[in-house]
Amino acid sequence: MARVFLHLVQNVKPVSHRLARGAWCGAARQGGWRRPLHTSPGLHAFPRPKLSPQEASQLLRQNEGVVQVSGCGDHEWAPDEVAPAATYSIDMVDSNQLASNLPIEDKLAAARCLHTTGYLFGIFDGHGGPECSQVVAKRLFDYIAAALLPRTELRRVVAEWQAGAPVPLTQVYNDTSKFVPELQEIYDASLLRYCNQLLTSVSEDFSMEETLARAFCQLDGDLGREVEENQRSAVLEPLVRVALSGSVACVAHVDGPHLHLANTGDCGAVLGSQRQEGGSGWQAQRLTQDHTWENPAEVERVVSEHPSSEAEAVVKDQRLLGVLMPFRAFGDFRFKWDREKQVSMVQRYAGPNNLIPNCITPPYLTAMPEVTYHRLRPHDRFLVMASDGLWECMSALDSVMLVGEYMSGRQTLQPVRLPRQGVTLGEVENLLEQRLKGLSLKPVDTSAATHLIRHAIGGSDTGLDHARLSHSLTLPPEVRRYFRDDISIHVIFFDSNFLRVCPIEI
């Protein structure tokens, strides 16, 4: 069995940008994220393409997706009526991807929890190949959804699974890919095993932070255990490929006004809010921290977990053991297995050149996420989640300003929607002024995610540069990775009408 998915490539990629990314472009610090300089001289060494604006837009829109969440926004609440504690705080979600690697190593995921009231959104940025990011993206949400179930409901789900009638835990959007049956059987057994562990664990007060962290770590542990327990299986090869490749992840769980973010690695999420005074300006709030050498606390954590004699080797050349950029990730078991397992598994399938030097006291890498919470308010308008391919090209504030500009332009194409209750004449006046300004923006894209990608690869100090955009979209695959990374984006728009009337205690 040589494939993880029916559509995945056959061979392991032992090296990728995260494992050996050099200074592929000049970089400047802006807004807390890396930003490549727009003056990379090599970009113009290639012949000027002849893409028309329409052809460029067609390429940008190939992977667009949308999740439309209907509910509270279509309901007129009576003054004494309480809005339900459901996921109607979400209006809609725009998503898109632009590949640099071939095949793309990023993965987007969006799903609704079927037995609880939350929605899940994830950005998964792979390295060393696409296998780990695709497997984690398809499995992690079920681990989270299972951990969120009340014990009585979880017991019922386990009983039906054991009776041969698996119960779906999530409804996944915009993804029709499937595992081969042999792998699906292994993955289902691991999920059932986790559910049984949840049933037998000591009952404690519920903590969303602990639930998300446990799901991340459990799945990562299962990726390694499945390799060890299937040494003689026909699907050992794809299991090893998943374990030896890696993936960072950023997952959002939205339930009514409650937003939790679990981040492992260097994807990022930014909240876009309108200023409460006047409502005409935008504020960007970064809700995640990168787990790389640029985060002093993360460097200190990693170094402190190993003997002082290894201090200079643990973080070397701005990488973990001089090799890996993110300090937290799924997979990458070369940084987690002891020397004996490395020799027996890594050397066997990837060759002796892929053994990690100075791997003396593993594990050096963890999938443990950093979990943050934010209580959504009416002035919180959207959340931008993206892989580092976007954040290398623009700051947090740039992304919020661009989506805000996009919203102002798009709303002029739609009928006026006033808040259902409690609106003042001043707020109506402000809304109409914003629509008037938006008339001049004339949005090109129907997706905010596409709008961000267009500006990420085609932006300049003077605005959009079509020549630059065309160059980037037509670079040959063999050199494209030197100028930009895979870009994956969710833009989650919140329903301010719901947040306006949502009780504080929900």
Side-chain angles (χ1 to χ4, degrees), residues 123-332:
I123 302 286
F124 303 88
D125 189 349
H127 47 269
E131 290 87 351
C132 188
S133 61
Q134 297 211 25
V135 168
V136 171
K138 289 187 69 66
R139 298 179 64 185
L140 180 59
F141 285 1
D142 282 339
Y143 277 62
I144 295 173
L148 292 174
L149 291 177
R151 189 163 294 241
T152 54
E153 180 68 8
L154 181 59
R155 189 174 291 110
R156 182 189 70 81
V157 168
V158 168
E160 294 196 25
W161 273 65
Q162 292 174 336
V167 178
L169 299 178
T170 58
Q171 176 189 344
V172 178
Y173 298 98
N174 303 327
D175 185 5
T176 59
S177 61
K178 296 181 180 296
F179 294 116
V180 295
E182 296 87 346
L183 287 173
Q184 187 66 62
E185 182 178 349
I186 292 173
Y187 294 156
D188 286 347
S190 292
L191 178 58
L192 180 59
R193 175 175 173 169
Y194 179 48
C195 290
N196 278 310
Q197 290 177 4
L198 292 171
L199 285 176
T200 57
S201 62
V202 177
S203 179
E204 298 178 353
D205 292 338
F206 175 80
S207 167
M208 190 67 185
E209 291 78 5
E210 292 179 6
T211 295
L212 290 170
R214 182 174 182 178
F216 271 58
C217 293
Q218 180 68 41
L219 175 56
D220 187 58
D222 285 349
L223 296 180
R225 179 184 55 79
E226 288 158 359
V227 171
E228 298 180 47
E229 294 181 354
N230 290 277
Q231 292 292 308
R232 299 182 182 277
S233 171
V235 294
L236 177 60
E237 182 182 344
L239 291 174
V240 171
R241 293 210 311 273
V242 172
L244 297 189
S245 58
S247 178
V248 299
C250 183
V251 171
H253 180 269
V254 187
D255 186 1
H258 304 296
L259 168 63
H260 287 87
L261 281 159
N263 186 54
T264 290
D266 57 358
C267 293
V270 173
L271 184 71
S273 306
Q274 284 190 306
R275 298 184 187 276
Q276 298 186 62
E277 296 295 333
S280 58
W282 290 97
Q283 292 178 313
Q285 180 181 356
R286 184 180 177 183
L287 298 180
T288 59
Q289 296 292 325
D290 287 349
H291 300 129
T292 66
W293 71 274
E294 294 176 299
N295 183 340
E298 189 68 5
V299 173
E300 182 179 356
R301 178 193 66 81
V302 172
V303 173
S304 69
E305 293 175 352
H306 301 276
S308 58
S309 58
E310 296 184 57
E312 294 184 2
V314 172
V315 178
K316 182 180 180 181
D317 297 330
Q318 303 175 357
R319 290 173 172 79
L320 189 65
L321 295 181
V323 179
L324 188 66
M325 284 196 69
F327 289 0
R328 303 191 194 194
F330 286 91
D332 285 316

Side-chain angles (χ1 to χ4, degrees), residues 93-113:
V93 183
D94 287 347
S95 305
N96 201 354
Q97 290 184 295
L98 182 67
S100 174
N101 295 292
L102 187 65
I104 188 171
E105 294 182 337
D106 283 7
K107 181 73 173 179
L108 288 169
R112 178 172 67 91
C113 297

